[in-house]
Coordinates of all heavy atoms in Angstrom, one line a residue:
M1 N 159.3 105.2 109.4 CA 159.9 104.2 108.5 C 160.4 104.9 107.2 O 161.4 104.5 106.7 CB 158.9 103.1 108.2 CG 159.4 101.7 108.4 SD 158.2 100.5 108.0 CE 157.4 100.3 109.4
W2 N 159.7 105.9 106.9 CA 160.1 106.7 105.7 C 161.5 107.2 105.9 O 162.4 107.1 105.0 CB 159.1 107.9 105.4 CG 157.8 107.5 104.9 CD1 156.7 107.2 105.6 CD2 157.5 107.2 103.6 NE1 155.7 106.8 104.8 CE2 156.1 106.8 103.5 CE3 158.3 107.3 102.3 CZ2 155.5 106.5 102.3 CZ3 157.5 107.0 101.1 CH2 156.2 106.6 101.2
E3 N 161.8 107.8 107.1 CA 163.2 108.4 107.4 C 164.3 107.3 107.3 O 165.3 107.5 106.7 CB 163.2 109.1 108.7 CG 162.3 110.3 108.8 CD 160.8 110.0 109.0 OE1 160.5 108.9 109.5 OE2 160.0 110.9 108.8
Y4 N 163.9 106.1 107.9 CA 164.9 105.0 107.9 C 165.2 104.6 106.4 O 166.4 104.5 106.1 CB 164.3 103.8 108.7 CG 165.2 102.6 108.5 CD1 166.4 102.4 109.1 CD2 164.8 101.6 107.6 CE1 167.1 101.3 109.0 CE2 165.6 100.5 107.4 CZ 166.8 100.3 108.0 OH 167.6 99.3 107.8
L5 N 164.2 104.4 105.7 CA 164.4 104.0 104.3 C 165.1 105.1 103.5 O 165.9 104.7 102.6 CB 163.1 103.5 103.6 CG 162.6 102.2 103.9 CD1 161.3 101.8 103.3 CD2 163.7 101.1 103.5
R6 N 164.8 106.4 103.7 CA 165.4 107.4 103.0 C 166.9 107.4 103.3 O 167.7 107.5 102.4 CB 164.8 108.7 103.4 CG 165.2 109.9 102.6 CD 164.5 111.2 103.0 NE 163.1 111.1 102.8 CZ 162.1 111.2 103.8 NH1 162.5 111.4 105.0 NH2 160.9 111.0 103.5
A7 N 167.3 107.2 104.5 CA 168.7 107.2 104.9 C 169.4 105.9 104.4 O 170.6 106.0 103.8 CB 168.8 107.2 106.5
Y8 N 168.7 104.8 104.4 CA 169.3 103.5 104.0 C 169.5 103.5 102.5 O 170.5 103.1 101.9 CB 168.5 102.4 104.4 CG 168.9 101.0 104.0 CD1 170.0 100.4 104.6 CD2 168.4 100.3 103.0 CE1 170.5 99.2 104.3 CE2 168.8 99.1 102.6 CZ 169.9 98.5 103.2 OH 170.4 97.3 102.8
L9 N 168.4 103.9 101.8 CA 168.5 103.8 100.3 C 169.2 105.0 99.7 O 169.6 105.0 98.5 CB 167.1 103.7 99.8 CG 166.3 102.5 100.2 CD1 164.7 102.8 99.7 CD2 166.9 101.3 99.6
E10 N 169.4 106.1 100.4 CA 169.9 107.4 100.0 C 169.1 108.0 98.8 O 169.7 108.6 97.8 CB 171.5 107.2 99.6 CG 172.3 106.7 100.8 CD 173.7 106.5 100.4 OE1 174.0 106.3 99.1 OE2 174.6 106.4 101.3
R11 N 167.9 107.7 99.0 CA 166.8 108.4 98.0 C 165.5 108.3 98.6 O 165.3 107.7 99.6 CB 166.8 107.6 96.6 CG 166.4 106.1 96.7 CD 166.3 105.5 95.4 NE 166.1 104.0 95.6 CZ 165.0 103.4 95.9 NH1 163.9 104.1 96.2 NH2 164.9 102.1 96.0
E12 N 164.6 108.9 98.0 CA 163.1 108.8 98.5 C 162.5 107.4 98.2 O 162.6 107.0 97.1 CB 162.3 110.0 97.8 CG 161.0 110.1 98.4 CD 161.0 110.7 99.8 OE1 162.1 111.4 100.1 OE2 160.1 110.4 100.6
P13 N 162.1 106.7 99.2 CA 161.5 105.4 99.1 C 160.2 105.5 98.4 O 159.5 106.4 98.5 CB 161.4 104.8 100.5 CG 161.3 106.0 101.3 CD 162.1 107.2 100.7
E14 N 159.9 104.4 97.7 CA 158.7 104.2 97.0 C 157.7 103.7 98.1 O 158.1 103.1 99.1 CB 158.7 103.2 95.9 CG 159.6 103.8 94.7 CD 159.7 102.7 93.6 OE1 158.8 101.8 93.5 OE2 160.6 102.8 92.8
E15 N 156.4 104.0 98.0 CA 155.5 103.6 98.9 C 155.4 102.0 99.1 O 155.3 101.6 100.2 CB 154.0 104.0 98.5 CG 153.0 103.9 99.5 CD 151.6 104.5 99.2 OE1 151.5 105.7 99.0 OE2 150.7 103.7 98.9
S16 N 155.7 101.3 98.1 CA 155.7 99.8 98.1 C 156.8 99.4 99.0 O 156.7 98.4 99.7 CB 155.7 99.2 96.8 OG 157.0 99.6 96.1
E17 N 158.0 100.1 99.0 CA 159.1 99.7 99.8 C 158.8 99.9 101.3 O 159.2 99.2 102.1 CB 160.3 100.6 99.4 CG 160.8 100.2 98.0 CD 162.0 101.1 97.6 OE1 161.7 102.4 97.6 OE2 163.0 100.6 97.1
V18 N 158.1 101.0 101.6 CA 157.8 101.3 103.0 C 156.7 100.2 103.5 O 156.9 99.7 104.6 CB 157.0 102.7 103.1 CG1 156.6 102.9 104.5 CG2 158.1 103.7 102.7
F19 N 155.7 99.9 102.7 CA 154.8 98.9 103.1 C 155.4 97.5 103.2 O 155.1 96.7 104.1 CB 153.5 98.9 102.2 CG 152.7 100.1 102.5 CD1 152.4 101.0 101.5 CD2 152.2 100.4 103.7 CE1 151.6 102.2 101.7 CE2 151.4 101.5 104.0 CZ 151.1 102.4 102.9
G20 N 156.4 97.2 102.3 CA 157.1 96.0 102.3 C 157.9 95.8 103.7 O 157.9 94.7 104.3
L21 N 158.6 96.9 104.0 CA 159.4 96.9 105.3 C 158.4 96.8 106.4 O 158.6 96.0 107.4 CB 160.2 98.2 105.4 CG 161.0 98.2 106.7 CD1 162.0 97.1 106.7 CD2 161.7 99.6 106.8
Y22 N 157.2 97.4 106.5 CA 156.3 97.3 107.5 C 155.8 95.8 107.7 O 155.7 95.3 108.8 CB 155.1 98.2 107.2 CG 154.0 98.1 108.3 CD1 154.0 98.8 109.5 CD2 152.8 97.3 108.0 CE1 153.0 98.7 110.4 CE2 151.8 97.2 108.9 CZ 151.9 97.9 110.1 OH 151.0 97.7 111.1
D23 N 155.5 95.2 106.5 CA 155.1 93.8 106.5 C 156.2 92.9 107.2 O 155.9 92.1 108.0 CB 154.7 93.3 105.1 CG 153.5 94.0 104.5 OD1 152.7 94.5 105.3 OD2 153.4 93.8 103.3
E24 N 157.5 93.1 106.7 CA 158.5 92.2 107.2 C 158.8 92.5 108.7 O 158.9 91.5 109.5 CB 159.8 92.6 106.5 CG 159.8 92.0 105.1 CD 161.2 92.2 104.5 OE1 162.2 91.8 105.1 OE2 161.2 92.8 103.4
V25 N 158.8 93.7 109.2 CA 159.0 94.0 110.6 C 157.9 93.4 111.5 O 158.1 92.7 112.5 CB 159.0 95.6 110.8 CG1 158.9 95.9 112.4 CG2 160.3 96.1 110.3
N26 N 156.6 93.5 111.0 CA 155.6 92.9 111.8 C 155.6 91.4 111.9 O 155.2 90.8 112.8 CB 154.2 93.4 111.2 CG 153.8 94.8 111.8 OD1 153.6 94.9 113.0 ND2 153.8 95.7 111.0
L27 N 156.2 90.8 110.9 CA 156.4 89.3 111.0 C 157.3 88.9 112.2 O 157.1 87.8 112.6 CB 156.9 88.7 109.6 CG 155.9 88.7 108.5 CD1 156.6 88.2 107.2 CD2 154.8 87.8 108.9
F28 N 158.2 89.7 112.5 CA 159.2 89.3 113.5 C 158.9 89.7 114.9 O 159.5 89.2 115.9 CB 160.6 89.9 113.1 CG 161.2 89.0 111.9 CD1 161.0 89.6 110.6 CD2 161.8 87.8 112.1 CE1 161.5 88.9 109.5 CE2 162.2 87.1 110.9 CZ 162.1 87.7 109.7
I29 N 157.8 90.5 115.1 CA 157.5 91.0 116.4 C 157.0 89.8 117.3 O 157.5 89.7 118.4 CB 156.4 92.1 116.4 CG1 157.0 93.4 115.8 CG2 155.8 92.3 117.7 CD1 155.9 94.4 115.6
P30 N 156.3 88.9 116.8 CA 156.0 87.7 117.7 C 157.2 86.9 118.1 O 157.3 86.4 119.2 CB 155.0 86.8 116.8 CG 154.4 87.8 115.9 CD 155.5 88.8 115.6
A31 N 158.1 86.8 117.2 CA 159.3 86.1 117.5 C 160.1 86.7 118.8 O 160.6 86.0 119.6 CB 160.3 86.0 116.4
C32 N 160.1 88.0 118.8 CA 160.7 88.8 119.9 C 159.9 88.4 121.2 O 160.6 88.1 122.3 CB 160.7 90.3 119.7 SG 161.4 91.3 121.0
H33 N 158.6 88.4 121.2 CA 157.9 88.1 122.3 C 158.1 86.7 122.8 O 158.2 86.3 124.0 CB 156.4 88.3 122.2 CG 156.0 89.7 122.1 ND1 156.3 90.7 123.1 CD2 155.4 90.5 121.2 CE1 155.8 91.9 122.7 NE2 155.3 91.8 121.5
L34 N 158.2 85.8 121.9 CA 158.4 84.3 122.2 C 159.8 84.2 122.8 O 160.0 83.5 123.8 CB 158.3 83.5 120.9 CG 158.5 82.1 121.1 CD1 157.4 81.5 122.1 CD2 158.2 81.3 119.8
H35 N 160.8 84.9 122.3 CA 162.2 84.8 122.8 C 162.2 85.2 124.2 O 162.7 84.6 125.1 CB 163.1 85.8 122.0 CG 164.4 86.1 122.6 ND1 165.5 85.2 122.5 CD2 164.8 87.1 123.5 CE1 166.5 85.7 123.2 NE2 166.1 86.8 123.7
W36 N 161.5 86.4 124.6 CA 161.5 86.9 126.0 C 160.7 86.0 126.9 O 161.0 85.9 128.1 CB 161.2 88.4 126.0 CG 162.3 89.2 125.4 CD1 162.2 90.0 124.3 CD2 163.6 89.4 126.0 NE1 163.4 90.5 124.1 CE2 164.3 90.3 125.1 CE3 164.2 88.9 127.0 CZ2 165.6 90.6 125.3 CZ3 165.6 89.3 127.3 CH2 166.3 90.1 126.4
T37 N 159.7 85.3 126.3 CA 158.9 84.4 127.2 C 159.9 83.2 127.6 O 159.9 82.9 128.8 CB 157.7 83.9 126.4 OG1 156.8 84.9 125.9 CG2 157.0 82.8 127.0
L38 N 160.5 82.7 126.6 CA 161.4 81.5 126.9 C 162.6 82.0 127.9 O 162.9 81.2 128.8 CB 162.0 80.9 125.7 CG 160.9 80.4 124.8 CD1 161.5 79.9 123.4 CD2 160.2 79.2 125.4
W39 N 163.2 83.1 127.6 CA 164.2 83.6 128.5 C 163.7 83.8 129.9 O 164.4 83.4 130.9 CB 164.6 85.0 127.9 CG 165.7 85.7 128.9 CD1 167.0 85.5 128.9 CD2 165.3 86.6 129.9 NE1 167.6 86.3 130.0 CE2 166.5 87.0 130.5 CE3 164.1 87.3 130.3 CZ2 166.6 87.9 131.6 CZ3 164.2 88.1 131.4 CH2 165.4 88.5 131.9
A40 N 162.5 84.4 130.1 CA 162.0 84.6 131.5 C 161.7 83.2 132.2 O 161.9 83.1 133.4 CB 160.7 85.4 131.4
L41 N 161.2 82.2 131.4 CA 161.0 81.0 132.1 C 162.3 80.3 132.5 O 162.4 79.7 133.6 CB 160.2 80.0 131.1 CG 158.8 80.4 130.8 CD1 158.2 79.5 129.7 CD2 157.9 80.4 132.1
I42 N 163.3 80.4 131.7 CA 164.6 79.9 132.1 C 165.1 80.6 133.4 O 165.6 80.0 134.4 CB 165.6 80.0 130.9 CG1 165.3 79.0 129.9 CG2 167.1 79.7 131.4 CD1 165.9 79.3 128.6
Q43 N 165.0 82.0 133.4 CA 165.4 82.7 134.5 C 164.6 82.5 135.8 O 165.2 82.4 136.8 CB 165.3 84.3 134.2 CG 166.3 84.8 133.1 CD 167.6 84.5 133.5 OE1 168.2 84.9 134.5 NE2 168.4 83.9 132.6
A44 N 163.3 82.1 135.6 CA 162.5 81.8 136.8 C 163.1 80.6 137.5 O 162.9 80.4 138.7 CB 161.1 81.5 136.3
S45 N 163.7 79.7 136.7 CA 164.2 78.4 137.4 C 165.6 78.5 137.8 O 166.1 77.7 138.6 CB 163.9 77.2 136.5 OG 164.7 77.4 135.3
S46 N 166.4 79.6 137.3 CA 167.8 79.6 137.6 C 168.3 80.9 138.2 O 169.4 80.9 138.8 CB 168.6 79.3 136.3 OG 168.3 80.4 135.3
S47 N 167.5 82.0 138.2 CA 168.0 83.2 138.6 C 167.9 83.4 140.2 O 166.8 82.9 140.7 CB 167.4 84.4 138.0 OG 167.8 85.6 138.4
N48 N 168.8 84.1 140.8 CA 168.6 84.4 142.2 C 168.1 85.8 142.4 O 167.9 86.3 143.5 CB 170.0 84.4 142.9 CG 170.5 82.9 142.9 OD1 169.8 82.0 143.0 ND2 171.9 82.8 142.7
I49 N 167.8 86.5 141.4 CA 167.3 87.9 141.4 C 165.9 87.8 141.8 O 165.1 87.1 141.3 CB 167.5 88.6 140.1 CG1 168.9 88.8 139.7 CG2 166.8 90.0 140.1 CD1 169.2 89.2 138.3
D50 N 165.4 88.8 142.7 CA 164.1 88.8 143.2 C 163.2 89.5 142.2 O 163.1 90.7 142.2 CB 164.0 89.5 144.6 CG 162.7 89.5 145.2 OD1 161.8 88.6 144.7 OD2 162.3 90.4 146.0
F51 N 162.7 88.7 141.3 CA 161.8 89.3 140.2 C 160.8 88.2 139.8 O 161.2 87.0 139.7 CB 162.8 89.7 139.0 CG 162.0 90.3 137.8 CD1 161.5 91.6 137.9 CD2 161.7 89.5 136.7 CE1 160.9 92.2 136.8 CE2 161.0 90.1 135.6 CZ 160.6 91.5 135.7
D52 N 159.6 88.7 139.4 CA 158.6 87.7 139.1 C 158.7 87.3 137.6 O 158.0 87.8 136.7 CB 157.2 88.3 139.4 CG 156.1 87.2 139.3 OD1 156.4 86.1 138.8 OD2 155.0 87.6 139.7
Y53 N 159.7 86.5 137.3 CA 160.0 86.0 135.9 C 158.7 85.3 135.3 O 158.5 85.4 134.1 CB 161.2 85.2 135.8 CG 162.5 85.9 136.1 CD1 163.2 85.8 137.3 CD2 163.0 86.7 135.1 CE1 164.4 86.5 137.5 CE2 164.2 87.5 135.2 CZ 164.8 87.3 136.4 OH 166.0 88.0 136.7
V54 N 158.0 84.5 136.1 CA 156.9 83.8 135.6 C 155.8 84.7 135.1 O 155.2 84.6 134.0 CB 156.3 82.8 136.6 CG1 155.1 82.2 136.2 CG2 157.4 81.7 137.0
D55 N 155.6 85.8 135.9 CA 154.6 86.8 135.5 C 155.0 87.5 134.2 O 154.2 87.7 133.3 CB 154.3 87.8 136.6 CG 153.2 88.8 136.2 OD1 152.1 88.4 135.9 OD2 153.5 90.0 136.2
Y56 N 156.3 87.8 134.2 CA 156.8 88.5 132.9 C 156.7 87.6 131.7 O 156.3 88.0 130.7 CB 158.3 88.8 133.2 CG 159.0 89.5 132.0 CD1 158.7 90.9 131.8 CD2 159.9 88.8 131.1 CE1 159.3 91.5 130.7 CE2 160.4 89.5 130.1 CZ 160.2 90.9 129.9 OH 160.7 91.5 128.8
A57 N 157.0 86.3 131.9 CA 156.8 85.3 130.9 C 155.4 85.2 130.4 O 155.1 85.2 129.3 CB 157.3 83.9 131.3
R58 N 154.5 85.3 131.4 CA 153.0 85.1 131.1 C 152.6 86.4 130.2 O 151.9 86.2 129.2 CB 152.2 85.1 132.4 CG 150.7 85.0 132.1 CD 149.9 85.2 133.5 NE 150.3 86.5 134.1 CZ 149.8 87.7 133.7 NH1 149.1 87.8 132.6 NH2 150.1 88.8 134.4
R59 N 153.0 87.5 130.6 CA 152.7 88.8 129.9 C 153.2 88.7 128.5 O 152.6 89.2 127.5 CB 153.2 90.0 130.7 CG 152.3 90.3 131.8 CD 152.6 91.6 132.6 NE 153.8 91.4 133.3 CZ 154.9 92.2 133.3 NH1 154.8 93.4 132.5 NH2 155.9 92.0 134.0
R60 N 154.5 88.3 128.4 CA 155.1 88.3 127.0 C 154.4 87.2 126.2 O 154.2 87.4 125.0 CB 156.6 87.9 127.1 CG 157.5 89.0 127.5 CD 157.4 90.2 126.5 NE 158.4 91.1 126.6 CZ 159.2 91.6 125.6 NH1 158.9 91.4 124.4 NH2 160.1 92.5 125.9
W61 N 154.0 86.0 126.8 CA 153.3 85.0 126.0 C 151.9 85.6 125.5 O 151.5 85.4 124.4 CB 153.0 83.9 126.9 CG 152.2 82.7 126.3 CD1 151.0 82.4 126.5 CD2 152.7 81.9 125.2 NE1 150.5 81.4 125.7 CE2 151.6 81.1 124.8 CE3 153.9 81.8 124.5 CZ2 151.7 80.1 123.8 CZ3 154.0 80.8 123.5 CH2 152.9 80.0 123.1
E62 N 151.3 86.4 126.4 CA 150.1 87.0 126.0 C 150.2 88.0 124.8 O 149.5 88.0 123.8 CB 149.3 87.7 127.2 CG 148.7 86.7 128.3 CD 148.4 87.4 129.5 OE1 148.5 88.7 129.6 OE2 147.9 86.8 130.4
D63 N 151.4 88.7 124.9 CA 151.6 89.6 123.8 C 151.9 88.8 122.5 O 151.6 89.2 121.4 CB 152.8 90.5 124.1 CG 152.5 91.5 125.2 OD1 151.3 91.8 125.4 OD2 153.5 92.0 125.9
Y64 N 152.6 87.7 122.7 CA 152.9 86.8 121.5 C 151.6 86.4 120.8 O 151.5 86.5 119.6 CB 153.8 85.6 122.0 CG 153.8 84.5 120.9 CD1 154.7 84.6 119.8 CD2 153.0 83.4 121.0 CE1 154.7 83.6 118.9 CE2 153.0 82.4 120.1 CZ 153.9 82.5 119.0 OH 153.9 81.5 118.0
I65 N 150.7 85.8 121.7 CA 149.4 85.4 121.1 C 148.7 86.5 120.4 O 148.1 86.3 119.3 CB 148.6 84.8 122.2 CG1 149.3 83.5 122.8 CG2 147.1 84.4 121.7 CD1 149.5 82.4 121.8
K66 N 148.6 87.7 121.0 CA 147.8 88.8 120.4 C 148.5 89.2 119.1 O 147.8 89.4 118.1 CB 147.9 90.0 121.4 CG 147.0 89.9 122.6 CD 147.1 91.2 123.4 CE 146.6 90.9 124.8 NZ 146.8 92.0 125.7
R67 N 149.8 89.3 119.1 CA 150.5 89.7 117.9 C 150.3 88.7 116.7 O 150.2 89.0 115.6 CB 152.0 90.0 118.2 CG 152.6 90.9 117.4 CD 152.0 92.2 117.4 NE 152.6 93.0 116.5 CZ 152.1 94.2 115.9 NH1 150.9 94.6 116.3 NH2 152.8 94.8 115.0
K68 N 150.4 87.4 117.1 CA 150.2 86.3 116.1 C 148.9 86.4 115.5 O 148.7 86.2 114.3 CB 150.4 85.0 116.8 CG 150.4 83.8 115.8 CD 150.7 82.5 116.5 CE 150.4 81.4 115.5 NZ 150.4 80.0 116.2
K69 N 147.8 86.6 116.4 CA 146.5 86.7 115.9 C 146.3 87.9 115.0 O 145.7 87.8 113.9 CB 145.5 86.8 117.0 CG 145.2 85.5 117.8 CD 144.2 85.8 118.9 CE 144.0 84.5 119.7 NZ 143.2 84.7 120.8
F70 N 146.9 89.0 115.3 CA 147.0 90.2 114.4 C 147.5 89.9 113.1 O 146.9 90.2 112.0 CB 147.7 91.3 115.1 CG 147.9 92.6 114.2 CD1 146.9 93.5 114.1 CD2 149.1 92.7 113.6 CE1 147.1 94.6 113.2 CE2 149.3 93.8 112.7 CZ 148.3 94.7 112.5
I71 N 148.7 89.2 113.0 CA 149.3 88.9 111.8 C 148.4 88.0 110.9 O 148.3 88.2 109.8 CB 150.7 88.3 112.1 CG1 151.6 89.4 112.5 CG2 151.2 87.7 110.8 CD1 153.0 88.9 112.9
V72 N 147.9 87.0 111.5 CA 147.0 86.0 110.8 C 145.9 86.8 110.2 O 145.5 86.6 109.0 CB 146.6 84.9 111.7 CG1 145.5 84.1 111.0 CG2 147.8 84.0 112.1
E73 N 145.2 87.6 111.0 CA 144.0 88.4 110.5 C 144.5 89.4 109.5 O 143.8 89.5 108.5 CB 143.4 89.1 111.7 CG 142.2 89.9 111.3 CD 141.0 89.1 110.8 OE1 141.0 87.8 111.0 OE2 140.2 89.6 110.1
Y74 N 145.6 90.1 109.7 CA 146.1 91.0 108.6 C 146.3 90.3 107.3 O 146.0 90.8 106.2 CB 147.4 91.7 109.2 CG 148.0 92.7 108.2 CD1 147.5 94.0 108.1 CD2 149.1 92.3 107.4 CE1 148.0 94.9 107.2 CE2 149.6 93.2 106.5 CZ 149.2 94.4 106.4 OH 149.7 95.3 105.6
R75 N 147.0 89.2 107.4 CA 147.3 88.4 106.2 C 146.0 87.9 105.5 O 145.9 87.9 104.3 CB 148.2 87.3 106.5 CG 149.5 87.6 107.0 CD 150.4 88.1 105.8 NE 151.7 88.5 106.2 CZ 152.7 88.4 105.6 NH1 152.7 87.7 104.4 NH2 153.9 88.8 106.0
R76 N 145.0 87.6 106.3 CA 143.7 87.1 105.7 C 143.0 88.3 105.1 O 142.5 88.1 103.9 CB 142.8 86.6 106.9 CG 141.5 85.9 106.4 CD 140.6 85.5 107.4 NE 140.0 86.6 108.2 CZ 139.1 87.4 107.7 NH1 138.6 87.2 106.6 NH2 138.6 88.4 108.5
R77 N 143.1 89.5 105.6 CA 142.4 90.7 105.0 C 143.2 91.3 103.9 O 142.7 91.9 103.0 CB 142.3 91.7 106.1 CG 141.2 91.5 107.1 CD 141.1 92.6 108.0 NE 140.1 92.4 109.0 CZ 139.9 93.1 110.1 NH1 140.6 94.3 110.3 NH2 139.0 92.8 111.0
H78 N 144.5 91.1 103.9 CA 145.3 91.7 102.9 C 146.2 90.6 102.2 O 147.4 90.4 102.4 CB 146.4 92.7 103.4 CG 145.6 93.8 104.2 ND1 145.4 93.8 105.5 CD2 145.0 95.0 103.7 CE1 144.7 94.9 105.8 NE2 144.5 95.6 104.8
P79 N 145.6 89.8 101.3 CA 146.3 88.6 100.9 C 147.5 89.1 99.9 O 148.5 88.2 99.9 CB 145.2 87.9 99.9 CG 144.2 88.9 99.7 CD 144.2 89.9 100.8
L80 N 147.6 90.2 99.4 CA 148.8 90.6 98.7 C 149.9 91.0 99.6 O 151.1 90.9 99.2 CB 148.4 91.9 97.8 CG 147.5 91.7 96.7 CD1 147.2 93.0 96.0 CD2 147.9 90.6 95.7
A81 N 149.7 91.2 100.8 CA 150.8 91.6 101.7 C 151.8 90.4 101.9 O 153.0 90.6 102.0 CB 150.2 92.0 103.1
K82 N 151.2 89.2 101.9 CA 152.2 88.0 102.1 C 153.2 87.9 100.9 O 154.2 87.3 101.2 CB 151.4 86.8 102.4 CG 150.4 86.3 101.4 CD 149.7 85.1 101.9 CE 148.4 85.0 101.3 NZ 147.5 84.1 101.9
N83 N 152.8 88.3 99.8 CA 153.7 88.2 98.6 C 154.5 89.5 98.5 O 155.5 89.5 97.8 CB 152.9 87.9 97.4 CG 152.3 86.5 97.5 OD1 152.9 85.6 98.1 ND2 151.1 86.3 97.0
R84 N 154.1 90.6 99.0 CA 154.6 91.9 98.7 C 156.1 91.9 99.2 O 157.0 92.4 98.4 CB 153.9 93.0 99.4 CG 154.3 94.4 99.1 CD 153.5 95.5 99.5 NE 152.7 95.2 100.7 CZ 151.5 95.8 101.0 NH1 151.0 96.6 100.3 NH2 151.0 95.4 102.2
S85 N 156.4 91.4 100.4 CA 157.8 91.5 100.9 C 158.8 90.7 100.0 O 159.9 91.2 99.6 CB 157.9 90.9 102.3 OG 157.0 91.7 103.2
S86 N 158.4 89.4 99.7 CA 159.3 88.7 98.9 C 159.5 89.2 97.4 O 160.5 89.2 96.9 CB 158.7 87.2 98.7 OG 157.4 87.2 98.2
R87 N 158.4 89.9 96.9 CA 158.4 90.5 95.6 C 159.5 91.6 95.6 O 160.2 91.8 94.8 CB 157.1 90.8 95.2 CG 157.0 91.1 93.7 CD 155.5 91.2 93.2 NE 154.8 92.2 94.0 CZ 153.7 91.8 94.7 NH1 153.3 90.5 94.8 NH2 153.0 92.7 95.5
E88 N 159.4 92.4 96.7 CA 160.3 93.6 96.8 C 161.7 93.1 96.9 O 162.6 93.7 96.4 CB 159.8 94.4 98.0 CG 158.6 95.2 97.9 CD 158.6 96.1 96.8 OE1 159.7 96.8 96.5 OE2 157.6 96.3 96.0
N89 N 161.9 92.0 97.7 CA 163.3 91.5 97.9 C 163.9 91.1 96.6 O 165.1 91.2 96.4 CB 163.3 90.4 99.0 CG 163.2 91.0 100.4 OD1 163.4 92.2 100.6 ND2 162.7 90.1 101.2
T90 N 163.2 90.4 95.7 CA 163.7 90.0 94.5 C 164.0 91.0 93.5 O 164.8 90.9 92.6 CB 162.8 88.9 93.8 OG1 161.5 89.4 93.6 CG2 162.7 87.7 94.8
N91 N 163.2 92.2 93.6 CA 163.3 93.3 92.7 C 164.3 94.4 93.1 O 164.6 95.2 92.3 CB 161.9 93.9 92.4 CG 161.0 93.0 91.7 OD1 161.5 92.1 91.0 ND2 159.7 93.2 91.9
S92 N 164.8 94.3 94.3 CA 165.7 95.3 94.7 C 167.1 94.8 95.0 O 167.4 93.6 95.1 CB 165.2 95.9 96.1 OG 165.2 94.8 97.1
T93 N 168.0 95.8 94.9 CA 169.4 95.4 95.2 C 169.8 95.7 96.6 O 169.3 96.7 97.2 CB 170.4 96.1 94.3 OG1 170.2 97.6 94.4 CG2 170.2 95.8 92.8
H94 N 170.5 94.9 97.3 CA 170.9 95.0 98.7 C 172.2 95.7 98.8 O 173.1 95.4 98.0 CB 170.9 93.7 99.4 CG 169.5 93.1 99.5 ND1 168.6 93.5 100.5 CD2 168.9 92.2 98.7 CE1 167.4 92.8 100.2 NE2 167.7 92.0 99.2
R95 N 172.4 96.6 99.8 CA 173.8 97.3 99.9 C 174.6 96.5 100.8 O 174.1 95.9 101.8 CB 173.5 98.7 100.4 CG 172.8 99.4 99.4 CD 172.5 100.8 99.9 NE 171.6 101.5 99.0 CZ 172.1 102.5 98.2 NH1 173.4 102.9 98.4 NH2 171.3 103.1 97.5

């Protein structure tokens, strides 16, 4: 993440910026799992490809649940994390 921010910002990122990005990225991981769960269920009913879409959807759903629990627990343990991302966004300029 440090390398990404260094290239994006064209300077050495502050630690708070790295942790802010980490918080934001982790918030969207469950959405990805949920997206692929729904996609697989649609494919299960409409695709002619020989693939176990229902099992794939089940595995993605399980990943969604695990990740969601992780985020809820992380936010409970680190109450400042939920405000860190929004605070960083209001204090920084976007390119």
